[in-house]
Amino acid sequence: MASKLVEILEDYQTHNDTVLIFNTLFGSYILCYLIYKLSQYVSPRIYPPYATFTEGTKADWDTRTVSTVHAVITTYLCFYMFLFDAEDSVGWFANPITHYSRLGVFTLSFTGGYMINDTIIVWRNRHGISAVKSTLFHHILATFGLYLNLYWNYPLFFAILYLSTEASTTFVNLRWWLYTMNMASTKRYLLAGLSMTLSFFLVRILLIPYWTIVAYMTGWKVLMQQPASVILFCLFFPIVGTSLNFFWFYHIFNGLLRAIAKKKNPSLYASGNLKKSGNLKQSGNLKQSGNLKQSGNLKQSGNLKQSGGLKKSLEDLKKSGGVKEQQQQQQVLKQSD
């Protein structure tokens, strides 16, 4: 399919690709809008509880439908260019800074139309949709990067490389759908989280840093001959993007470990357990509700240092008839230990 698309793109003869860019932007925007509307129509028929969602949750659900379609298409195109296209698969790594790819221009333009559509929808539903600020910031920054690439017509390598991170987006959306459908305790949810973590690790932690280093080593001399704006772009976006990927992966991996632990030991996460609702720092533990420092312990309510030592405390207890009460407190402490 991608090879057929390459043949079609050859019909656009203008070297600056102005016609190709604007046609693809417009077509992509219309396609994403239609998918968004189609999701609104199909979703309540596939999953009836969709009708009970808030408007913000519905918008979140439908934008993720569009996001998934975009992710599948762009991931396929990116990896096709890197691995299978006869011209690009060689050109990207032989000359990563100035290599030109018509299919690359099409892919970036397609993503640009998606970004415009999604930004408008998120803004219109900003009072109900989740993570509005981070989503808008991501879209604005990404659109700016796409604009620079399409304006310069290079360096397309880094833009296509980081666009391949969409490989993990499908699993991110799947995990969100399962959570929204109250399936967070199922094996499917755990598998979705595992797939998300694995795809995130393979693409964003292994492949992208490796290919970025290869690109720097191969094209460094050529890069240093470019205008300062291009040099800054080629340094800023990969370094910041990779740093964010490592930061996000740290949290994703920790979340996966917690999910696996919960699946293996569900009793620990029930009401009153150690990790979720009754751990040593949150509920019913020694440090919060019965330990030696906070509630009824020797240091707070009758210990040797505050009440004059063992002899004095025993005399006071005898006078007040509190021997039995002290014994009960000691039994509670032993049970909690």
Side-chain angles (χ1 to χ4, degrees), residues 160-195:
I160 297 299
L161 178 61
Y162 278 82
L163 190 56
S164 66
T165 59
E166 289 293 291
S168 62
T169 299
T170 302
F171 301 107
V172 173
N173 291 338
L174 176 60
R175 187 170 178 268
W176 183 90
W177 280 322
L178 293 173
Y179 180 85
T180 304
M181 292 188 289
N182 297 318
M183 299 177 67
S185 60
T186 64
K187 289 184 178 180
R188 279 178 285 184
Y189 182 80
L190 182 61
L191 290 175
L194 180 62
S195 301

Side-chain angles (χ1 to χ4, degrees), residues 124-144:
R124 288 176 57 186
N125 296 275
R126 61 188 180 278
H127 298 299
I129 205 169
S130 61
V132 173
K133 292 183 180 179
S134 61
T135 301
L136 291 177
F137 175 76
H138 169 270
H139 284 11
I140 292 172
L141 186 63
T143 302
F144 178 67

Side-chain angles (χ1 to χ4, degrees), residues 107-159:
T107 304
L108 296 184
S109 302
F110 178 78
T111 296
Y114 159 75
M115 289 291 182
I116 294 172
N117 175 80
D118 201 57
T119 300
I120 294 174
I121 295 174
V122 170
W123 177 255
R124 288 176 57 186
N125 296 275
R126 61 188 180 278
H127 298 299
I129 205 169
S130 61
V132 173
K133 292 183 180 179
S134 61
T135 301
L136 291 177
F137 175 76
H138 169 270
H139 284 11
I140 292 172
L141 186 63
T143 302
F144 178 67
L146 292 174
Y147 167 77
L148 291 179
N149 270 268
L150 294 174
Y151 177 76
W152 294 328
N153 246 343
Y154 77 100
L156 299 177
F157 173 84
F158 291 105

Side-chain angles (χ1 to χ4, degrees), residues 4 17 28 77 92 94 106 117-118 131 144 186 195 203 208 213 216 225 231 246 252 254 260 269 279 299 301 311:
K4 190 67 177 179
D17 292 319
S28 174
L77 293 176
W92 287 127
F106 170 83
N117 175 80
D118 201 57
F144 178 67
T186 64
S195 301
V203 177
I208 286 182
I213 294 173
Y216 284 150
Q225 298 172 0
I231 296 175
F246 274 92
I252 290 174
N254 283 339
I260 293 175
Y269 290 81
N279 54 36
K299 291 185 178 180
S301 62
K311 292 182 180 180

